[in-house]
Amino acid sequence: MFSLKETKRSALISLWFMFLTFPVLVIKVDAIEQTVYWRWENMLYIGLGSFILSIFGKIFFERQKSRRERQIAEKIEKHSLIQRALRDPKYLYPLGAAFFLFAVTYPYLFSTYQINVMTTALMYVVLGLGLNIVVGVAGLLDLGYVAFYLVGAYSYGLLNMHFGLGFWTVLPIGALLAALLGILLGFPVLRLRGDYLAIVTLAFGEIIRLIMENWNDFSQGPSGISNIPRPGLLGFDLTLDQAITYLYYLMIVMVLVTIFVVNRLQNSRLGRAWVALREDEIACQAMGIDKTKTKLTAFALGATWAGMVGVIFAAKTTFINPASFTFLESAIILAIVVLGGMGSILGVILGAVILILLPEYLRALSDYRMLAFGAIMVSMMVFRPQGLISNVRRHYHYRPKKEQQK
Amino acid sequence: MLELHKVHSYYGNIQALKGVSLKINEGEIISLIGANGAGKSTTLMSVCGIVSPRSGKISFEGRSIHQLPADQIVTLGISQVPEGRHIFPHLSVRENLDMGAFLRTDKDGIKRDLDYVFSLFPILAERSGQAGGNLSGGEQQMLAMSRALMARPKLLLLDEPSMGLAPLIIQQIFDIIKKINQEQNTTIFLVEQNAYQALQISDRGYVIENGHITLAQDASELMQNPAVQKAYLGI
């Protein structure tokens, strides 16, 4: 069933792994007693493990290949179970209702800590959906997305400190400022694509953060802004627990609004222009699409969501400083989009929940958290590069007139 | 209909067009032939605004267009099929065609034009759900042309429609170009390496060399011209 050649290949792989891990896993130097331990048994485990894994990997790839060939031969349009369920209202509505019920009752079922964690996850859902407009739909790789998030957070912090503006006043202002900054970033990068765009946006994100870190008179530097008030509810004084629950419901509403808007945007004229821009710029111009306007709206609309979540973030933590807006943050949001599936709304939601909640619940294994994170990312990109839930756009099929009359 | 007057175009410091003048009347098929790097594609790109000319004038139906951005030129009724086809690879055939009608809002008209391009290229109707990138080269060329037609242009610019295609398919494509010209009264400006095929369906032809127009004659006369025969027709 398994040819000699394959076995030999796997054996070679395991040998290679044993060699690579030899210095780390076999040799152990005790510097105090000046002795060296040789842990040969580790080498054996590594060899066996990698041998078995490589055989499984090979079988997996073979099966996937043959399945793909069969699909092409039989012209089957393959959709995953989730996608089929989403298409069919018979499953979609009960599923949606169940999720909604769960989301509404969540604060009554779990502790304050859990609510807080879930609020954070929901914030990343919105951030992911916002970045999805820029990266997933319009195809502009933005590594400085966190800059807009920062602008939102600081606009609440600063406007509240200096002018005493409340949460609800600043929410649209923060969104607007972030959108303006998005357009400002958009102008110089209009001519850039791909790698170059990624580098410029990365630098942009860092510049904004460094300004906030060093311009003490304006932003209070690394010490940040504290005592930012939580959002009020019609003038009632809320206890801490109530405020957390309130924020949670606020985020639920926010997520629903975002999903609605992003969904409408994707199926709109503008959404189609974004997709065309992602696919081919020259053809996009030949279709009469204004490239400048399309790119700028993508940046601005993506940034808007980050600005709003930024305001909410400031209100949630009541303290902000530049350390919350490092490149890692951008990378995580980007990972959410890529892991979930570029362009797919449900994928992004799932990606955010996995990437934010998993590390939280795996605190017991915190030493290995980053290791697992890396392993998941690598295996995702190898086995499912299109993301957890790939985006399936609506399909239209052409039927000649005669058939329609039947 | 379209008139170029002493157009000079540059890529950075390199001058590609050195005073190109030509005129296209309504309902004509005009071909522009020339060797590699003579400035054929640059002429087309200057017309549709992707390379804006540094000096000279381009006017379309009496309106000067050389300062307009590319997307606004399309709204005037000039549609181009870019060199190398440039279809949207991940969109389906149907979605590609919908993108072609991006600027239009008349649903019935779009539907009629969709039926029309599917009657021109029945293979596209069969493939309407497939991704554009999965089509063969010839089918992609057909898709690119259909997509340009979906904008219902007055003037259709075709950049090397025969590039990389089998002789049989080339013949088919040129027949359809002729058909579009006759049935829709679309003016066609054709840029071609395949001079023989292009001149056969054209009314008039221009020869471009090193950024200059060197010959402008009726297509049949050009085909008889010994210099053209030697240089471009391989006779």
Side-chain angles (χ1 to χ4, degrees), chain A residues 320-376:
Chain A
I320 48 170
N321 77 344
S324 315
F325 306 99
T326 53
F327 172 65
L328 185 70
E329 209 68 14
S330 286
I332 286 179
I333 303 169
L334 186 69
I336 286 172
V337 175
V338 175
L339 182 86
M342 290 229 236
S344 151
I345 292 175
L346 198 72
V348 170
I349 296 172
L350 199 65
V353 170
I354 289 177
L355 280 189
I356 304 303
L357 292 190
L358 264 193
E360 210 58 56
Y361 292 125
L362 290 180
R363 269 194 196 284
L365 308 168
S366 60
D367 287 350
Y368 302 99
R369 208 156 57 170
M370 285 327 266
L371 187 74
F373 190 80
I376 290 173

Short mmCIF file of all heavy atoms in Angstrom, two decimals, chain A residues 320-376:
data_model
loop_
_atom_site.label_atom_id
_atom_site.label_comp_id
_atom_site.label_asym_id
_atom_site.label_seq_id
_atom_site.Cartn_x
_atom_site.Cartn_y
_atom_site.Cartn_z
N ILE A 320 -5.37 54.23 28.30
CA ILE A 320 -4.69 53.88 27.05
C ILE A 320 -3.28 54.44 27.08
O ILE A 320 -3.02 55.50 27.63
CB ILE A 320 -5.43 54.44 25.82
CG1 ILE A 320 -5.78 55.92 26.01
CG2 ILE A 320 -6.66 53.64 25.50
CD1 ILE A 320 -6.28 56.58 24.77
N ASN A 321 -2.37 53.67 26.50
CA ASN A 321 -1.04 54.21 26.22
C ASN A 321 -0.53 53.56 24.94
O ASN A 321 -1.11 52.58 24.46
CB ASN A 321 -0.10 54.03 27.41
CG ASN A 321 0.42 52.63 27.53
OD1 ASN A 321 -0.12 51.72 26.93
ND2 ASN A 321 1.44 52.45 28.32
N PRO A 322 0.52 54.12 24.34
CA PRO A 322 0.91 53.64 23.01
C PRO A 322 1.28 52.15 22.98
O PRO A 322 1.25 51.54 21.90
CB PRO A 322 2.13 54.49 22.67
CG PRO A 322 1.97 55.71 23.49
CD PRO A 322 1.32 55.28 24.75
N ALA A 323 1.59 51.56 24.11
CA ALA A 323 2.02 50.16 24.11
C ALA A 323 0.91 49.21 23.66
O ALA A 323 1.18 48.07 23.29
CB ALA A 323 2.50 49.76 25.50
N SER A 324 -0.34 49.67 23.69
CA SER A 324 -1.44 48.79 23.26
C SER A 324 -1.57 48.75 21.75
O SER A 324 -2.38 48.02 21.22
CB SER A 324 -2.78 49.30 23.81
OG SER A 324 -2.65 49.62 25.15
N PHE A 325 -0.78 49.57 21.06
CA PHE A 325 -1.00 49.68 19.61
C PHE A 325 0.27 49.36 18.82
O PHE A 325 0.67 50.09 17.94
CB PHE A 325 -1.50 51.09 19.27
CG PHE A 325 -2.70 51.49 20.07
CD1 PHE A 325 -2.59 52.28 21.20
CD2 PHE A 325 -3.95 51.02 19.72
CE1 PHE A 325 -3.69 52.62 21.95
CE2 PHE A 325 -5.06 51.35 20.46
CZ PHE A 325 -4.94 52.15 21.58
N THR A 326 0.89 48.25 19.20
CA THR A 326 2.13 47.88 18.53
C THR A 326 1.83 47.14 17.22
O THR A 326 0.68 46.82 16.92
CB THR A 326 2.97 46.97 19.41
OG1 THR A 326 2.13 45.89 19.81
CG2 THR A 326 3.48 47.70 20.62
N PHE A 327 2.88 46.84 16.50
CA PHE A 327 2.73 46.12 15.24
C PHE A 327 2.08 44.76 15.44
O PHE A 327 1.33 44.27 14.60
CB PHE A 327 4.09 45.95 14.56
CG PHE A 327 4.04 45.06 13.37
CD1 PHE A 327 3.31 45.42 12.26
CD2 PHE A 327 4.69 43.83 13.38
CE1 PHE A 327 3.23 44.59 11.16
CE2 PHE A 327 4.61 42.99 12.28
CZ PHE A 327 3.88 43.37 11.17
N LEU A 328 2.36 44.15 16.61
CA LEU A 328 1.79 42.83 16.89
C LEU A 328 0.27 42.85 16.76
O LEU A 328 -0.35 41.92 16.25
CB LEU A 328 2.19 42.38 18.30
CG LEU A 328 1.75 40.95 18.63
CD1 LEU A 328 2.56 39.96 17.82
CD2 LEU A 328 1.89 40.67 20.11
N GLU A 329 -0.31 43.98 17.20
CA GLU A 329 -1.76 44.13 17.13
C GLU A 329 -2.24 44.07 15.68
O GLU A 329 -3.18 43.36 15.34
CB GLU A 329 -2.10 45.48 17.76
CG GLU A 329 -3.44 45.56 18.38
CD GLU A 329 -3.54 44.70 19.62
OE1 GLU A 329 -2.50 44.25 20.16
OE2 GLU A 329 -4.66 44.47 20.04
N SER A 330 -1.55 44.82 14.82
CA SER A 330 -1.88 44.78 13.38
C SER A 330 -1.76 43.37 12.86
O SER A 330 -2.60 42.90 12.09
CB SER A 330 -0.91 45.67 12.59
OG SER A 330 -1.19 47.00 12.77
N ALA A 331 -0.69 42.70 13.28
CA ALA A 331 -0.43 41.36 12.77
C ALA A 331 -1.54 40.42 13.20
O ALA A 331 -1.99 39.58 12.41
CB ALA A 331 0.92 40.85 13.28
N ILE A 332 -2.02 40.57 14.45
CA ILE A 332 -3.09 39.68 14.92
C ILE A 332 -4.37 39.93 14.11
O ILE A 332 -5.04 38.99 13.69
CB ILE A 332 -3.33 39.89 16.43
CG1 ILE A 332 -2.17 39.25 17.20
CG2 ILE A 332 -4.66 39.28 16.86
CD1 ILE A 332 -2.28 39.39 18.68
N ILE A 333 -4.68 41.20 13.88
CA ILE A 333 -5.90 41.49 13.12
C ILE A 333 -5.79 40.92 11.70
O ILE A 333 -6.72 40.33 11.17
CB ILE A 333 -6.17 43.01 13.07
CG1 ILE A 333 -6.26 43.56 14.50
CG2 ILE A 333 -7.47 43.30 12.36
CD1 ILE A 333 -6.26 45.06 14.56
N LEU A 334 -4.59 41.07 11.14
CA LEU A 334 -4.38 40.53 9.79
C LEU A 334 -4.51 39.00 9.82
O LEU A 334 -5.11 38.39 8.93
CB LEU A 334 -3.01 40.93 9.27
CG LEU A 334 -2.74 40.54 7.83
CD1 LEU A 334 -3.63 41.35 6.91
CD2 LEU A 334 -1.28 40.75 7.46
N ALA A 335 -3.95 38.40 10.89
CA ALA A 335 -4.03 36.94 11.02
C ALA A 335 -5.48 36.49 11.11
O ALA A 335 -5.87 35.46 10.55
CB ALA A 335 -3.25 36.47 12.24
N ILE A 336 -6.31 37.27 11.81
CA ILE A 336 -7.73 36.95 11.91
C ILE A 336 -8.35 36.89 10.52
O ILE A 336 -9.07 35.95 10.17
CB ILE A 336 -8.46 38.01 12.78
CG1 ILE A 336 -8.10 37.81 14.25
CG2 ILE A 336 -9.96 37.95 12.58
CD1 ILE A 336 -8.61 38.91 15.14
N VAL A 337 -8.03 37.90 9.71
CA VAL A 337 -8.62 37.96 8.38
C VAL A 337 -8.14 36.79 7.51
O VAL A 337 -8.93 36.13 6.84
CB VAL A 337 -8.27 39.31 7.70
CG1 VAL A 337 -8.76 39.34 6.27
CG2 VAL A 337 -8.88 40.46 8.47
N VAL A 338 -6.83 36.53 7.56
CA VAL A 338 -6.29 35.49 6.70
C VAL A 338 -6.72 34.10 7.17
O VAL A 338 -7.12 33.25 6.37
CB VAL A 338 -4.75 35.59 6.65
CG1 VAL A 338 -4.17 34.44 5.85
CG2 VAL A 338 -4.34 36.90 6.04
N LEU A 339 -6.66 33.90 8.50
CA LEU A 339 -7.05 32.60 9.04
C LEU A 339 -8.52 32.31 8.79
O LEU A 339 -8.90 31.21 8.41
CB LEU A 339 -6.79 32.57 10.56
CG LEU A 339 -7.10 31.27 11.26
CD1 LEU A 339 -5.89 30.37 11.18
CD2 LEU A 339 -7.46 31.50 12.72
N GLY A 340 -9.34 33.34 8.97
CA GLY A 340 -10.77 33.13 8.80
C GLY A 340 -11.16 32.92 7.35
O GLY A 340 -12.06 32.15 7.05
N GLY A 341 -10.47 33.54 6.47
CA GLY A 341 -10.83 33.45 5.05
C GLY A 341 -11.06 34.83 4.51
O GLY A 341 -12.00 35.51 4.89
N MET A 342 -10.17 35.24 3.59
CA MET A 342 -10.24 36.61 3.07
C MET A 342 -11.57 36.86 2.38
O MET A 342 -12.01 36.06 1.56
CB MET A 342 -9.13 36.80 2.07
CG MET A 342 -7.80 36.82 2.75
SD MET A 342 -6.86 38.21 2.20
CE MET A 342 -5.40 37.41 1.62
N GLY A 343 -12.18 37.96 2.72
CA GLY A 343 -13.40 38.34 2.04
C GLY A 343 -14.65 37.71 2.63
O GLY A 343 -15.75 38.09 2.28
N SER A 344 -14.49 36.73 3.51
CA SER A 344 -15.65 36.04 4.04
C SER A 344 -16.00 36.58 5.43
O SER A 344 -15.18 36.57 6.33
CB SER A 344 -15.37 34.54 4.11
OG SER A 344 -16.10 33.95 5.14
N ILE A 345 -17.23 37.05 5.58
CA ILE A 345 -17.62 37.67 6.84
C ILE A 345 -17.64 36.64 7.98
O ILE A 345 -17.06 36.84 9.04
CB ILE A 345 -19.00 38.33 6.69
CG1 ILE A 345 -18.89 39.53 5.76
CG2 ILE A 345 -19.55 38.75 8.03
CD1 ILE A 345 -20.18 40.20 5.43
N LEU A 346 -18.28 35.50 7.70
CA LEU A 346 -18.36 34.47 8.73
C LEU A 346 -16.97 33.97 9.10
O LEU A 346 -16.68 33.70 10.28
CB LEU A 346 -19.21 33.31 8.21
CG LEU A 346 -19.72 32.41 9.32
CD1 LEU A 346 -20.79 33.11 10.10
CD2 LEU A 346 -20.22 31.11 8.75
N GLY A 347 -16.11 33.87 8.10
CA GLY A 347 -14.75 33.41 8.34
C GLY A 347 -14.02 34.34 9.29
O GLY A 347 -13.35 33.89 10.23
N VAL A 348 -14.18 35.63 9.07
CA VAL A 348 -13.50 36.60 9.92
C VAL A 348 -14.00 36.49 11.36
O VAL A 348 -13.22 36.53 12.31
CB VAL A 348 -13.70 38.02 9.37
CG1 VAL A 348 -13.20 39.05 10.36
CG2 VAL A 348 -12.97 38.17 8.06
N ILE A 349 -15.32 36.31 11.51
CA ILE A 349 -15.87 36.18 12.86
C ILE A 349 -15.26 34.96 13.55
O ILE A 349 -14.78 35.03 14.69
CB ILE A 349 -17.40 36.06 12.80
CG1 ILE A 349 -17.99 37.34 12.24
CG2 ILE A 349 -17.98 35.77 14.17
CD1 ILE A 349 -19.46 37.28 11.96
N LEU A 350 -15.24 33.86 12.84
CA LEU A 350 -14.68 32.64 13.41
C LEU A 350 -13.20 32.81 13.73
O LEU A 350 -12.72 32.40 14.79
CB LEU A 350 -14.87 31.50 12.40
CG LEU A 350 -14.78 30.09 12.96
CD1 LEU A 350 -15.91 29.85 13.92
CD2 LEU A 350 -14.81 29.08 11.84
N GLY A 351 -12.49 33.46 12.82
CA GLY A 351 -11.06 33.69 13.03
C GLY A 351 -10.82 34.51 14.28
O GLY A 351 -9.94 34.20 15.09
N ALA A 352 -11.61 35.57 14.47
CA ALA A 352 -11.44 36.42 15.64
C ALA A 352 -11.71 35.64 16.92
O ALA A 352 -10.95 35.71 17.89
CB ALA A 352 -12.37 37.62 15.55
N VAL A 353 -12.78 34.85 16.90
CA VAL A 353 -13.14 34.11 18.10
C VAL A 353 -12.03 33.11 18.43
O VAL A 353 -11.61 32.98 19.59
CB VAL A 353 -14.49 33.39 17.89
CG1 VAL A 353 -14.75 32.43 19.01
CG2 VAL A 353 -15.61 34.43 17.82
N ILE A 354 -11.51 32.44 17.41
CA ILE A 354 -10.46 31.45 17.66
C ILE A 354 -9.19 32.12 18.16
O ILE A 354 -8.61 31.74 19.17
CB ILE A 354 -10.15 30.65 16.38
CG1 ILE A 354 -11.32 29.71 16.08
CG2 ILE A 354 -8.87 29.85 16.52
CD1 ILE A 354 -11.16 28.93 14.81
N LEU A 355 -8.76 33.16 17.47
CA LEU A 355 -7.47 33.77 17.80
C LEU A 355 -7.49 34.54 19.11
O LEU A 355 -6.46 34.71 19.75
CB LEU A 355 -7.01 34.69 16.68
CG LEU A 355 -6.38 33.99 15.49
CD1 LEU A 355 -5.76 35.00 14.55
CD2 LEU A 355 -5.31 33.02 15.96
N ILE A 356 -8.64 35.03 19.51
CA ILE A 356 -8.68 35.81 20.75
C ILE A 356 -9.08 34.93 21.93
O ILE A 356 -8.52 35.03 23.01
CB ILE A 356 -9.66 37.00 20.62
CG1 ILE A 356 -9.26 37.87 19.44
CG2 ILE A 356 -9.69 37.82 21.88
CD1 ILE A 356 -7.84 38.39 19.48
N LEU A 357 -10.05 34.05 21.72
CA LEU A 357 -10.53 33.24 22.85
C LEU A 357 -9.60 32.09 23.18
O LEU A 357 -9.38 31.78 24.35
CB LEU A 357 -11.94 32.71 22.56
CG LEU A 357 -13.04 33.75 22.52
CD1 LEU A 357 -14.40 33.09 22.48
CD2 LEU A 357 -12.96 34.68 23.73
N LEU A 358 -9.04 31.45 22.16
CA LEU A 358 -8.19 30.29 22.42
C LEU A 358 -7.03 30.61 23.36
O LEU A 358 -6.86 29.92 24.37
CB LEU A 358 -7.67 29.69 21.12
CG LEU A 358 -8.47 28.52 20.54
CD1 LEU A 358 -7.68 27.83 19.45
CD2 LEU A 358 -8.85 27.53 21.63
N PRO A 359 -6.25 31.65 23.08
CA PRO A 359 -5.14 31.96 23.99
C PRO A 359 -5.64 32.23 25.40
O PRO A 359 -4.97 31.92 26.39
CB PRO A 359 -4.52 33.22 23.40
CG PRO A 359 -4.93 33.23 21.99
CD PRO A 359 -6.26 32.57 21.93
N GLU A 360 -6.85 32.81 25.48
CA GLU A 360 -7.40 33.14 26.78
C GLU A 360 -7.70 31.86 27.58
O GLU A 360 -7.39 31.76 28.76
CB GLU A 360 -8.68 33.94 26.55
CG GLU A 360 -9.02 34.91 27.61
CD GLU A 360 -7.92 35.94 27.83
OE1 GLU A 360 -7.51 36.63 26.86
OE2 GLU A 360 -7.48 36.04 28.98
N TYR A 361 -8.28 30.87 26.91
CA TYR A 361 -8.66 29.65 27.62
C TYR A 361 -7.51 28.67 27.73
O TYR A 361 -7.59 27.69 28.45
CB TYR A 361 -9.86 28.99 26.93
CG TYR A 361 -11.09 29.84 27.09
CD1 TYR A 361 -11.83 30.26 26.01
CD2 TYR A 361 -11.49 30.25 28.37
CE1 TYR A 361 -12.94 31.07 26.17
CE2 TYR A 361 -12.58 31.07 28.53
CZ TYR A 361 -13.31 31.48 27.43
OH TYR A 361 -14.38 32.28 27.61
N LEU A 362 -6.45 28.93 26.98
CA LEU A 362 -5.30 28.03 27.06
C LEU A 362 -4.25 28.60 28.00
O LEU A 362 -3.07 28.29 27.87
CB LEU A 362 -4.70 27.81 25.67
CG LEU A 362 -5.55 26.98 24.71
CD1 LEU A 362 -4.87 26.82 23.39
CD2 LEU A 362 -5.84 25.61 25.32
N ARG A 363 -4.67 29.42 28.94
CA ARG A 363 -3.72 30.03 29.85
C ARG A 363 -2.94 28.98 30.63
O ARG A 363 -1.79 29.20 31.00
CB ARG A 363 -4.43 30.97 30.81
CG ARG A 363 -4.47 32.35 30.26
CD ARG A 363 -4.84 33.39 31.30
NE ARG A 363 -5.22 34.61 30.62
CZ ARG A 363 -4.35 35.45 30.09
NH1 ARG A 363 -3.06 35.21 30.16
NH2 ARG A 363 -4.75 36.53 29.48
N ALA A 364 -3.57 27.85 30.89
CA ALA A 364 -2.90 26.79 31.61
C ALA A 364 -1.65 26.34 30.85
O ALA A 364 -0.64 25.98 31.46
CB ALA A 364 -3.85 25.61 31.80
N LEU A 365 -1.74 26.39 29.54
CA LEU A 365 -0.60 25.95 28.74
C LEU A 365 0.18 27.16 28.23
O LEU A 365 0.73 27.15 27.14
CB LEU A 365 -1.10 25.14 27.54
CG LEU A 365 -2.04 23.99 27.84
CD1 LEU A 365 -2.67 23.48 26.56
CD2 LEU A 365 -1.27 22.87 28.54
N SER A 366 0.20 28.23 29.04
CA SER A 366 0.68 29.50 28.50
C SER A 366 2.10 29.43 27.96
O SER A 366 2.46 30.21 27.08
CB SER A 366 0.56 30.59 29.56
OG SER A 366 1.34 30.22 30.67
N ASP A 367 2.91 28.49 28.51
CA ASP A 367 4.29 28.40 28.02
C ASP A 367 4.34 28.01 26.55
O ASP A 367 5.25 28.41 25.82
CB ASP A 367 5.08 27.36 28.82
CG ASP A 367 5.38 27.88 30.22
OD1 ASP A 367 5.15 29.08 30.43
OD2 ASP A 367 5.83 27.09 31.06
N TYR A 368 3.37 27.22 26.14
CA TYR A 368 3.42 26.70 24.77
C TYR A 368 2.47 27.46 23.84
O TYR A 368 2.25 27.05 22.72
CB TYR A 368 3.04 25.22 24.77
CG TYR A 368 3.95 24.41 25.63
CD1 TYR A 368 3.57 24.05 26.91
CD2 TYR A 368 5.22 24.05 25.18
CE1 TYR A 368 4.43 23.34 27.72
CE2 TYR A 368 6.08 23.34 25.99
CZ TYR A 368 5.68 22.99 27.26
OH TYR A 368 6.53 22.29 28.05
N ARG A 369 1.89 28.56 24.36
CA ARG A 369 0.86 29.24 23.61
C ARG A 369 1.36 29.73 22.26
O ARG A 369 0.77 29.47 21.22
CB ARG A 369 0.36 30.43 24.42
CG ARG A 369 -1.05 30.79 24.12
CD ARG A 369 -1.66 31.51 25.28
NE ARG A 369 -0.87 32.70 25.60
CZ ARG A 369 -1.28 33.63 26.45
NH1 ARG A 369 -2.43 33.48 27.07
NH2 ARG A 369 -0.55 34.67 26.70
N MET A 370 2.49 30.42 22.27
CA MET A 370 3.00 30.96 21.02
C MET A 370 3.41 29.84 20.07
O MET A 370 3.27 29.95 18.85
CB MET A 370 4.19 31.89 21.27
CG MET A 370 3.79 33.25 21.82
SD MET A 370 2.22 33.86 21.23
CE MET A 370 2.70 34.85 19.86
N LEU A 371 3.93 28.75 20.65
CA LEU A 371 4.32 27.60 19.83
C LEU A 371 3.10 27.05 19.09
O LEU A 371 3.12 26.84 17.87
CB LEU A 371 4.92 26.52 20.72
CG LEU A 371 5.51 25.33 20.00
CD1 LEU A 371 6.83 25.71 19.37
CD2 LEU A 371 5.71 24.18 20.97
N ALA A 372 2.00 26.87 19.85
CA ALA A 372 0.78 26.35 19.24
C ALA A 372 0.25 27.32 18.20
O ALA A 372 -0.17 26.93 17.11
CB ALA A 372 -0.28 26.12 20.32
N PHE A 373 0.30 28.60 18.53
CA PHE A 373 -0.15 29.65 17.62
C PHE A 373 0.59 29.56 16.29
O PHE A 373 -0.02 29.51 15.22
CB PHE A 373 0.13 31.00 18.30
CG PHE A 373 -0.47 32.17 17.61
CD1 PHE A 373 -1.81 32.47 17.78
CD2 PHE A 373 0.30 32.98 16.81
CE1 PHE A 373 -2.36 33.57 17.15
CE2 PHE A 373 -0.24 34.08 16.18
CZ PHE A 373 -1.57 34.37 16.36
N GLY A 374 1.92 29.47 16.38
CA GLY A 374 2.73 29.38 15.17
C GLY A 374 2.41 28.12 14.38
O GLY A 374 2.25 28.16 13.16
N ALA A 375 2.30 26.99 15.11
CA ALA A 375 2.03 25.72 14.44
C ALA A 375 0.69 25.78 13.71
O ALA A 375 0.58 25.32 12.56
CB ALA A 375 2.02 24.58 15.45
N ILE A 376 -0.31 26.38 14.36
CA ILE A 376 -1.63 26.47 13.73
C ILE A 376 -1.55 27.31 12.47
O ILE A 376 -2.08 26.95 11.41
CB ILE A 376 -2.66 27.09 14.71
CG1 ILE A 376 -2.97 26.10 15.83
CG2 ILE A 376 -3.93 27.48 14.00
CD1 ILE A 376 -3.82 26.67 16.93
#
